[in-house]
Amino acid sequence: VGDLLQTISVAMQQAVEEAQGQVDGVDADRSARHAALAAAQDALPTLQAAVAAQQDVEAAAKATLHEANEKAAVATEAESRGKFSYDQAAAQVAELRAALEALAALKGASADSSKEGKHQHKQLAHVSHKYALDTTLVEAVLKVLRKEPDTRQSFDVVSLGIFEESLSKPLKDFEERLQLHEAPQAEKAAAARAATEAAEAAEGACGESEAAVKAAKEAERDGAQAIKAAQKHVGKWLHDTKVVMDGFDAKKQALESFRERPLKLFDELKELQPEPEPVEEVETEMPPAADAALVPAVAECDAPALATA
């Protein structure tokens, strides 16, 4: 019981010492709370300036994106117009080349000899009309092409040669035009790609700036919340200090009461404890054999006493 009471007393003494440490630190705690509030207040202007700076970056990024989109639209439109002219010239070249190939095929066979020949004959008629070739020449050639090659006269051969030259002249013109369009069109396509890539990069930068503004605003809100929390912490100092001191007083009073009552009563009880009684010596009985051996001797020494007994 004494050991248990002593253990309780030591634990209560440690609690009092810990509470005393808290009491001794209340002034330092007050200073720390005010320092935290000052630090939070000092940090807020920096956070606000960061928001303003990121907003400026965002505005510049949006302006860059707008300009890049406009340039990309202009470049794409220019490429589209150039591509239309280029594709048109390329189609005309292909059409005239196909007509010359059809003419070459029909020089060796009658247009009426096969289904393909008839198609080629119609093809030549369409091209001749489209490119406004001499109608008299075209009509004569179309008739010649219906004849078998071995029945064609010298005039027919001459007519075919003139017709071929009539087709070759616009073909040459369109080929030259196509060649002239190739380099500028390639430049326009490259410019459109570059402008589109620049617009995509500007869009990415704009998205990053928006995210940076959002992060800066969140940091600013956190800074404002930190000020409010620090102000609340400073305002609670007196209450928290009272709790600490009241706790110290209660623990100190409890220790004093414990020492005055249970420990003191236990010490008084120990003084009233009686002295321990002496331990009686216990005689050891002899074995039966030893007793039998001693009987004659005793009888000889004190026979009358034994008789009396």
Side-chain angles (χ1 to χ4, degrees):
V1 173
D3 292 341
L4 177 60
L5 292 175
Q6 189 61 33
T7 300
I8 295 173
S9 177
V10 170
M12 295 179 71
Q13 177 63 39
Q14 291 176 347
V16 170
E17 292 174 356
E18 292 176 359
Q20 180 66 60
Q22 293 177 345
V23 170
D24 294 341
V26 293
D27 290 336
D29 178 48
R30 182 174 181 274
S31 298
R33 297 188 187 200
H34 281 279
L37 174 59
Q41 291 172 335
D42 292 341
L44 185 59
T46 302
L47 297 174
Q48 292 171 337
V51 171
Q54 290 299 335
Q55 287 175 334
D56 291 341
V57 173
E58 181 186 23
K62 288 182 177 180
T64 301
L65 176 60
H66 179 72
E67 182 180 357
N69 284 334
E70 287 185 344
K71 289 182 178 179
V74 171
T76 302
E77 179 64 23
E79 181 196 15
S80 179
R81 289 196 304 268
K83 188 174 184 301
F84 176 78
S85 299
Y86 180 86
D87 291 345
Q88 190 176 32
Q92 290 169 329
V93 167
E95 187 176 41
L96 289 169
R97 286 176 179 173
L100 287 172
E101 291 174 359
L103 178 61
L106 292 178
K107 282 182 179 181
S110 171
D112 294 334
S113 63
S114 65
K115 184 177 180 180
E116 179 65 19
K118 293 178 180 179
H119 173 72
Q120 292 170 338
H121 191 269
K122 290 181 179 179
Q123 182 181 0
L124 289 172
H126 170 72
V127 170
S128 299
H129 177 73
K130 180 176 180 180
Y131 292 96
L133 300 184
D134 184 81
T135 55
T136 303
L137 175 63
V138 172
E139 290 177 359
V141 168
L142 293 178
K143 290 179 181 180
V144 170
L145 293 177
R146 290 182 178 274
K147 298 178 181 181
E148 293 295 335
D150 55 356
T151 63
R152 295 170 185 170
Q153 302 297 320
S154 298
F155 179 76
D156 296 337
V157 176
V158 172
S159 298
L160 291 175
I162 296 173
F163 181 71
E164 184 174 2
E165 291 178 359
S166 299
L167 289 175
S168 298
K169 186 178 183 303
L171 173 60
K172 184 179 179 181
D173 293 339
F174 284 120
E175 286 177 339
E176 292 176 354
R177 186 185 303 178
L178 186 63
Q179 188 174 6
L180 291 174
H181 275 77
E182 284 180 355
Q185 183 59 26
E187 293 177 359
K188 291 176 182 178
R193 285 194 300 271
T196 301
E197 291 174 358
E200 291 175 352
E203 185 175 2
C206 191
E208 291 176 358
S209 65
E210 289 177 354
V213 169
K214 182 179 179 181
K217 287 183 177 180
E218 289 178 355
E220 181 186 15
R221 285 194 295 270
D222 291 342
Q225 291 296 327
I227 291 176
K228 291 181 179 179
Q231 289 173 337
K232 184 177 181 181
H233 201 46
V234 168
K236 289 181 61 180
W237 177 82
L238 188 60
H239 173 270
D240 294 343
T241 299
K242 184 178 184 303
V243 171
V244 168
M245 290 185 173
D246 289 347
F248 169 73
D249 293 340
K251 291 176 182 178
K252 185 177 180 181
Q253 182 63 39
L255 177 60
E256 292 176 356
S257 298
F258 183 76
R259 288 175 175 174
E260 288 295 326
R261 298 289 295 171
L263 285 182
K264 187 175 181 180
L265 290 175
F266 182 74
D267 290 339
E268 292 176 356
L269 287 174
K270 286 199 300 183
E271 293 176 359
L272 296 177
Q273 182 179 2
E275 295 292 332
E277 296 181 0
V279 180
E280 295 182 357
E281 295 183 0
V282 180
E283 295 182 358
T284 304
E285 295 183 359
M286 298 295 291
D291 292 345
L294 292 174
V295 170
V298 173
E300 291 177 358
C301 294
D302 199 0
L306 290 173
T308 302

